[in-house]
Amino acid sequence: MLRLLASLYFFVFFSIIAINQSSEYIWKHWGNQTPNELGYAKQVADNLRDVLNTVGIENYPNKSSLDIININDVAWFPEQRTALGKGEVVISFDSNDNYQLFMLLADEISIVKLGPFEPKRPSIWTKYGFKLVSFSILALLLVLWLRPLWRDLEQLKRITEQLATGQLDIETKPSRFSAISTLTQHIQKLALQTASLMQNQKHLVNAVSHELRTPLARLKFALAMLAPKDPQQVQAMSQDVTEMELLIDEMLSYARLEFSEREMSKTNIPLSDLVEAQIGKCLGASNKQVEHSIAQDIYVFGNDHYLARVLQNLLQNAEKYGAQKIKIELKLRDNHVILSVSDDGPGIPVDKRDSVFSPFTRLDSSRSKETGGFGLGLAIVTKILSWHNGKCWVTESEMLGATFNVSLPAHRNTNI
């Protein structure tokens, strides 16, 4: 960061100095014509002095138009007095920037004063045009300085987007002219290491899927052979093996979500119909009272398969921990779709409502092992909603249980 600030400071500092010096030189020799005008006026004054010295002041035809003063009537600066003695034309300016010319005649007493003359003013368009060109050059130099920095920032943005979507084939092209080249190289190295870890995780998931299922299958076969000798003990062991299989399935399902977003396609989805379909499945498999209030013609942009998974997990959660009643509500609020799934179960303490969305989190006081589950259902809900720019949070229901609220951006129905 210090290198970036120092580079920007010195670049702007030296650029302003170079532009100012160049502008002053160009303005003096091209934009501002006053020096040439004064040079021409001095030549005219020299010619007039030669004429006056030749014919004399008394014989000059336009003597009345001349302003003749005595050299001693003016308090000259020493350098001006010396210049007059050498026969030079002395120029002075008044408070209005008008100039006057003084020249000493041959008698070394008489001074001819010409003026005051108003110098030719440069056009306002020339003045501001010159400023515009100067600032445009500075802006161009800043663009040249910022271009490598912009390319590196765009590359970092592309790398983070690739990592977020599970694309592990990351290519990097660091720019050695950028002020943040060192930082870019470190982040690119970190991104490559992250991509490598994600690739290793993917291989590990595939290995677990194959290597763990094989011994579990052998255990199930061995338990089946031992069942006649000790049925009760074998039944308990079989339940443990089945639980291990379910855990592996849940872990693999959650791990695969890390690599599913890239292949996920999104369309305009009638969420009202999707929620009603999932409620219909819940009614067929539930022995609890299910109430629902579903607003019609609500659409979202997303993947219907994964959004259905969100609804299934929330409904299964309410089915497990609700006592007698489940309530589902879908409504539209401020261009956002709000889905609420409430139950009359034991609820969730306020200090633990955020932690329930973490993987493998189970509340021992209210979520006992007998109810099933491994603490991955809500983590899957959070992951899928993040792909759809949505979120989920917990509040207390009006039935004193838990209410899981889902918010998604509403989408216009493009099929009309």
Side-chain angles (χ1 to χ4, degrees):
M1 186 60 67
L2 180 61
R3 179 186 174 185
L4 175 63
L5 293 177
S7 174
L8 178 60
Y9 174 80
F10 285 111
F11 181 83
V12 174
F13 179 77
F14 288 111
S15 295
I16 290 176
I17 291 178
I19 291 174
N20 282 342
Q21 294 297 322
S22 302
S23 300
E24 183 177 351
Y25 177 83
I26 296 173
W27 178 257
K28 182 182 296 184
H29 292 83
W30 177 78
N32 189 1
Q33 300 297 325
T34 301
N36 292 337
E37 182 180 338
L38 290 177
Y40 177 74
K42 290 174 69 175
Q43 291 179 1
V44 173
D46 284 335
N47 294 334
L48 177 61
R49 181 182 58 189
D50 293 340
V51 171
L52 292 175
N53 287 332
T54 301
V55 303
I57 298 178
E58 294 78 5
N59 300 323
Y60 186 70
N62 296 323
K63 177 183 177 182
S64 59
S65 62
L66 297 177
D67 188 1
I68 308 297
I69 61 176
N70 191 291
I71 190 173
N72 298 317
D73 292 341
V74 179
W76 305 99
F77 291 109
E79 57 270 17
Q80 291 177 323
R81 188 68 178 256
T82 302
L84 289 171
K86 292 180 179 180
E88 298 178 3
V89 177
V90 174
I91 302 173
S92 67
F93 292 85
D94 60 16
S95 59
N96 296 322
D97 288 336
N98 297 325
Y99 63 91
Q100 307 171 68
L101 289 80
F102 301 90
M103 52 189 177
L104 180 63
L105 298 181
D107 61 6
E108 297 185 354
I109 296 177
S110 301
I111 296 288
V112 178
K113 173 185 175 185
L114 301 179
F117 302 105
E118 182 179 0
K120 181 181 178 181
R121 305 294 182 183
S123 171
I124 188 172
W125 296 108
T126 302
K127 179 180 178 181
Y128 285 103
F130 218 78
K131 290 184 177 181
L132 177 62
V133 171
S134 300
F135 286 118
S136 298
I137 294 175
L138 178 60
L140 177 61
L141 293 175
L142 285 174
V143 168
L144 294 177
W145 182 85
L146 288 172
R147 186 171 182 271
L149 178 63
W150 178 262
R151 289 181 58 187
D152 278 359
L153 292 177
E154 283 292 320
Q155 187 170 198
L156 293 179
K157 177 183 176 183
R158 186 167 58 254
I159 290 173
T160 55
E161 289 176 348
Q162 288 177 335
L163 288 176
T165 56
Q167 300 181 35
L168 306 181
D169 50 341
I170 297 176
E171 296 183 2
T172 60
K173 296 179 181 179
S175 174
R176 56 192 179 95
F177 299 104
S178 172
I180 60 169
S181 58
T182 304
L183 175 62
T184 304
Q185 291 173 5
H186 285 304
I187 294 180
Q188 289 171 345
K189 183 178 179 180
L190 177 62
L192 291 175
Q193 292 176 346
T194 304
S196 177
L197 291 174
M198 294 176 66
Q199 189 69 39
N200 292 337
Q201 180 189 3
K202 187 176 182 179
H203 293 323
L204 177 62
V205 169
N206 294 331
V208 167
S209 177
H210 178 267
E211 299 298 334
L212 284 183
R213 290 183 186 277
T214 301
L216 284 176
R218 290 198 297 264
L219 282 174
K220 292 180 70 175
F221 178 76
L223 290 174
M225 298 295 294
L226 294 175
K229 296 182 180 181
D230 192 351
Q232 186 175 0
Q233 184 69 21
V234 169
Q235 182 180 5
M237 294 173 66
S238 297
Q239 290 177 352
D240 290 338
V241 172
T242 301
E243 184 177 349
M244 289 180 64
E245 284 186 317
L246 293 175
L247 175 59
I248 291 172
D249 289 339
E250 284 290 305
M251 290 177 62
L252 292 175
S253 177
Y254 182 75
R256 290 191 184 102
L257 286 177
E258 298 290 341
F259 309 98
S260 299
E261 186 179 8
R262 182 169 57 174
E263 292 82 12
M264 182 182 65
S265 60
K266 293 183 179 181
T267 57
N268 194 28
I269 300 172
L271 189 62
S272 302
D273 298 341
L274 188 64
V275 173
E276 288 180 346
Q278 295 302 318
I279 291 176
K281 294 180 181 180
C282 180
L283 289 174
S286 175
N287 57 358
K288 296 181 175 60
Q289 179 184 353
V290 179
E291 298 180 359
H292 55 87
S293 173
I294 309 300
Q296 299 301 311
D297 298 327
I298 291 183
Y299 289 79
V300 296
F301 186 72
N303 184 280
D304 55 353
H305 170 73
Y306 287 106
L307 287 179
R309 180 70 182 275
V310 169
L311 295 171
Q312 291 169 8
N313 286 10
L314 293 179
L315 291 174
Q316 288 174 4
N317 190 76
E319 172 66 24
K320 288 178 184 178
Y321 306 118
Q324 297 178 349
K325 185 184 295 185
I326 299 174
K327 184 177 180 180
I328 303 107
E329 184 178 9
L330 179 67
K331 58 186 177 181
L332 189 65
R333 180 195 300 165
D334 297 332
N335 294 325
H336 279 78
V337 177
I338 305 297
L339 172 69
S340 301
V341 179
S342 306
D343 61 57
D344 58 350
I348 300 177
V350 176
D351 59 339
K352 296 182 179 180
R353 288 177 181 176
D354 292 334
S355 62
V356 296
F357 297 101
S358 301
F360 302 104
T361 298
R362 304 174 74 251
L363 304 182
D364 294 336
S365 61
S366 58
R367 309 294 203 222
S368 62
K369 185 177 179 179
E370 287 73 14
T371 59
F374 303 98
L376 287 174
L378 295 178
I380 292 174
V381 167
T382 303
K383 176 67 68 175
I384 295 175
L385 289 178
S386 68
W387 299 343
H388 294 80
N389 297 320
K391 60 180 180 179
C392 183
W393 69 96
V394 185
T395 57
E396 183 179 358
S397 71
E398 59 185 15
M399 299 175 289
L400 302 182
T403 296
F404 286 85
N405 306 281
V406 172
S407 174
L408 289 168
H411 195 262
R412 184 172 55 88
N413 182 13
T414 58
N415 298 323
I416 299 178

